[in-house]
Amino acid sequence: MGTIVSVHTFDDEQAAAIRAALPEYEFVQAAGLEEAEARALLKSAEIILGWNRDVKKTLYTEGIALKWLQNMGAGIDHLPLDRVKELGIVVTNASGVHPFQISESIFAMLLSLTRGVHRAVRSQLAARWQPSLRLGEAHGRTMAILGVGAIGLETAKIAKAFQMKVLGIRRTGGEAEHVDEMYGMDRLNDVLAQSDYVVNCLPLTDATRGLIGAAQFEVMKSTSYYLNIGRGGTTDTEALVEALRSGGIAGAGLDVFEQEPLPADHPLWGLDNVILTPHEAGSTDVYTARALEIVLDNLAHYRAHGAPVRNLVDLRAQY
C-alpha cells in the first residue's frame, strides 16, 4: 500500500472521494500535523497533492518515495524543475480550472479602465464629484491574447459579445475558436501594434521571461491597455512603468508582478491609470471542487495504469 499526502486542504466529502478513487492507498492531509510528522509523511508519499516549502524540502531529501506530484495551480515556474527531472517525478497541474474566474477578472479590469470606474472609485473615496473628461468603449475594438490556452479561449469568447476582433499569439500557432487571426511568437510586435487591449496569459518559461519590454510598449497604441494575469516575470516592470508615465499606453490592469508581494514603495501604486490586484484572479469559492475533478481523474488512471494522464506537464517546455 502506498501513501497519498495532501498539503492542499480538502473537506471531509472531498477527502472521502480521494480515498474512494484509490482505496488501496492511505490518504493523509498534512494540515495541522506537527512539522516533523508532516515531513516524515511527505518523505514516504508516493503521491503528493499540492505544493509548499515542506514539499520543496522533501525533493532534496534522500530516499524519497515520490512518483507523482499533482500541482494544484496551473503555473510550475515555482518548481525546481531540474531536481524534478533528476528524480523522474511525473508532474500534473490544475490547468483548466481557471478560465471562468480569470476571464471575469480580465473584463472587470478592462471595463473599469475603459469606462473610468477605477478613477470614479478613487473620487468616491474622497467624496469628490469629478466627471471624466473622456471615456472610451470596448465594443468593436481589437484584443490581442498572448498565450491562447483555456483562459485565452474563454476570454476570446467573451470578447465576441463586445463585437471585438480577436488576435491570438501562441507558440504552436493554429486556429482557435473565437480567435479571428492566430500568429506565432515571431509576429508579436505586429499584433501588439494593432491592438486596443493586450491580454497577457503567458506562462513563465525561459522563452517568455521579460518578453514584454520597452520595444513592445513602444509599438503599442498610446490608447491601448495592457492586462497581465499570466506571470509577472514575462514583463519588464521598469519599461511598463515608463510607458504608463509617458503616455506610451493608456493604462494597465495587473494581477501578477515580477516581485510579489509588490513593495509598498513601488511606483505602480501611485499611478492613477493602473488597477492592481494581489495575484488573486484565479481565486474562486469553487476552486477546490473544480481541481478535485482533475485529481480524481488522475487517481483513477493511476490505479488502472500506474500513472496519471490528465494535465501532464512538459518539463522541457516548462508548462
Side-chain angles (χ1 to χ4, degrees), residues 214-252:
Q216 285 65 49
F217 292 118
E218 180 66 28
V219 301
M220 288 172 61
K221 299 178 182 180
S222 62
T223 54
S224 66
Y225 294 99
Y226 179 67
L227 305 162
N228 190 4
I229 54 76
R231 283 295 183 267
T234 62
T235 303
D236 181 335
T237 306
E238 289 187 12
L240 171 59
V241 170
E242 176 57 29
L244 290 164
R245 282 175 166 167
S246 67
I249 62 174

Side-chain angles (χ1 to χ4, degrees), residues 285-300:
D285 55 1
V286 295
Y287 188 98
T288 296
R290 286 183 186 155
L292 182 63
E293 294 179 16
I294 297 169
V295 173
L296 295 178
D297 280 355
N298 275 333
L299 287 171

